[in-house]
Structures are given as structure tokens and as C-alpha cells.
Amino acid sequence: MKKNKMEENTKPEDQDVNELQDENMSPDEAGQIDIENSQDNNTDSSGSTISEEEKLRAEVAEWQNKHLRLYAEFDNFKRRTSKERLELLQIAGKDVIVDLLPVLDDFERAQKSMETATDIESVKEGVKLVHHKLKNTLGSKGLKEMEAIGKEFDADVHEGITNIPAPSDDLKGKVIDELEKGYYLNDKVIRFAKVIIGS
């Protein structure tokens, strides 16, 4: 009987001790218990995981759609720019040809006049005028002759054909003669000068 009374007496005390332990529990321990409880609640409700999957699938579909649209836009841009570049090149060539047509007309007139001409000097003068007109027309488009004779040989702008003994020591390693003129177009070499170099 005494034991039963003691057990009954100790049980309320144990409950008080347990309550005191709960009150004295650290915040980290209490938080851990809350997390475990919330995880238990999430695992019980399967509806939340299904909605997450649906959300992710919708997001993936949206990104795939954006990717396809971006790819299509880039493909259209590439086609458009290549077409514009081709048209630009054709128009640039057209402008040069239109400017050269008067020179072609002058050559045809000179050819007709040479058939009946008796004065060679006048024919020479006519050819010089047409040549001068052609150079001016091409010069207005950015063409410039390369000055090579008497300059140091430069492999970036000159193409050496052969070496010959230099007439003087100061011409060694320099361009003595020019077989074919070199040209710049807007300060860029478009034809190398074919030259003879002094050795």
C-alpha cells in the first residue's frame, strides 16, 4: 500500500519535472521538434508534392518555349543580315560601274576617232585624257597608287620578282624597278607591287 501511494505521489512530481524540462528546453531543440513535426505533416499530405511537380513542369515548358522563340528569331536575323550584306555588295558594285560608264564612252569615242585620225599626237592626247579621267574616277572611290620605286623593300606591300645588282650602294635592298603597280583601296592593300630589288 505504501508503495502504491509512493508511486502515485511520484507520478505527479515526474510530470512536473517533465514540464520543467520542456520549459527549460533550448530554442534549437524546440525548433528541431517543430521541423520534424512539419516534415511529418508534409509527408502525410501528398498533394503538396504533386503541385510542386506541376509547377516545375510548367516552368520547364515555359523555358523550352522561350528557347524555341529565341532560336527562330536568331535564324531570321541571320538570314536577314546575309541578304542585306549581299544587297549592299551588289549596290556598291553598281555605283562603281555607273561611275565608270562615262570612261567607257570616252574609250569608244577615242577608238572611232583613231580609225580616221591622221594626227598621232591628237590620238595620244585623247588617250591621256581618258586615262586621267579613269584614274580620277577610281581615286574618288578610294583607289590609290602605291609608290614603290626607290623605297625600301617591304614584303607587306611588295612582291619581289627578282634581284639585280644595285647601280649604287644606297639602292641595295631598295626597289629599283616596278613591273606592275600596286594599289591601296581605302589604305588597304588590294594588289601588291611586283618589283625588282637591288642587291
Side-chain angles (χ1 to χ4, degrees):
M1 293 287 290
K2 285 181 181 178
K3 282 183 181 178
N4 289 342
K5 283 183 181 178
M6 285 182 71
E7 285 174 4
E8 288 172 9
N9 290 338
T10 53
K11 281 183 181 176
E13 287 175 6
D14 288 342
Q15 288 177 356
D16 291 340
V17 169
N18 287 339
E19 287 173 8
L20 283 172
Q21 284 178 349
D22 288 344
E23 288 174 8
N24 293 332
M25 189 182 295
S26 69
D28 291 338
E29 291 172 344
Q32 185 66 29
I33 290 170
D34 290 342
I35 289 169
E36 288 173 0
N37 290 338
S38 66
Q39 284 177 349
D40 290 341
N41 291 338
N42 284 341
T43 52
D44 291 340
S45 60
S46 59
S48 62
T49 53
I50 291 172
S51 67
E52 281 292 320
E53 282 181 21
E54 287 174 356
K55 193 190 293 184
L56 288 172
R57 282 182 182 162
E59 196 173 334
V60 167
E62 185 182 346
W63 279 108
Q64 284 177 340
N65 191 19
K66 282 182 181 177
H67 171 72
L68 286 173
R69 286 186 182 183
L70 188 64
Y71 181 79
E73 284 176 16
F74 177 72
D75 195 40
N76 290 338
F77 170 77
K78 200 164 64 171
R79 285 183 192 165
R80 189 169 56 249
T81 50
S82 62
K83 185 180 176 184
E84 286 172 358
R85 191 183 319 137
L86 185 64
E87 287 174 357
L88 185 64
L89 289 171
Q90 289 174 343
I91 291 168
K94 179 185 171 186
D95 290 344
V96 173
I97 289 170
V98 166
D99 287 346
L100 288 175
L101 287 177
V103 179
L104 184 63
D105 294 337
D106 287 346
F107 271 119
E108 287 176 355
R109 282 193 282 271
Q111 193 174 3
K112 282 181 184 175
S113 66
M114 279 192 290
E115 290 172 1
T116 57
T118 53
D119 187 8
I120 295 175
E121 288 300 318
S122 65
V123 172
K124 284 183 181 177
E125 191 64 31
V127 171
K128 281 182 187 176
L129 287 171
V130 175
H131 179 251
H132 184 67
K133 187 173 185 179
L134 176 62
K135 280 176 77 174
N136 286 342
T137 303
L138 293 173
S140 69
K141 297 295 176 186
L143 190 73
K144 191 171 115 184
E145 283 184 10
M146 195 180 289
E147 298 288 332
I149 296 174
K151 305 279 183 183
E152 288 284 339
F153 176 74
D154 183 0
D156 290 336
V157 293
H158 302 142
E159 184 182 335
I161 301 300
T162 186
N163 291 341
I164 62 168
S168 59
D169 289 340
D170 61 329
L171 288 176
K172 284 185 178 178
K174 292 187 177 178
V175 176
I176 295 175
D177 198 6
E178 189 177 48
L179 299 178
E180 192 174 86
K181 277 188 177 294
Y183 287 96
Y184 297 103
L185 182 62
N186 297 321
D187 297 326
K188 185 178 178 182
V189 178
I190 59 166
R191 190 172 85 177
F192 296 98
K194 293 183 179 175
V195 297
I196 296 171
I197 306 151
S199 59

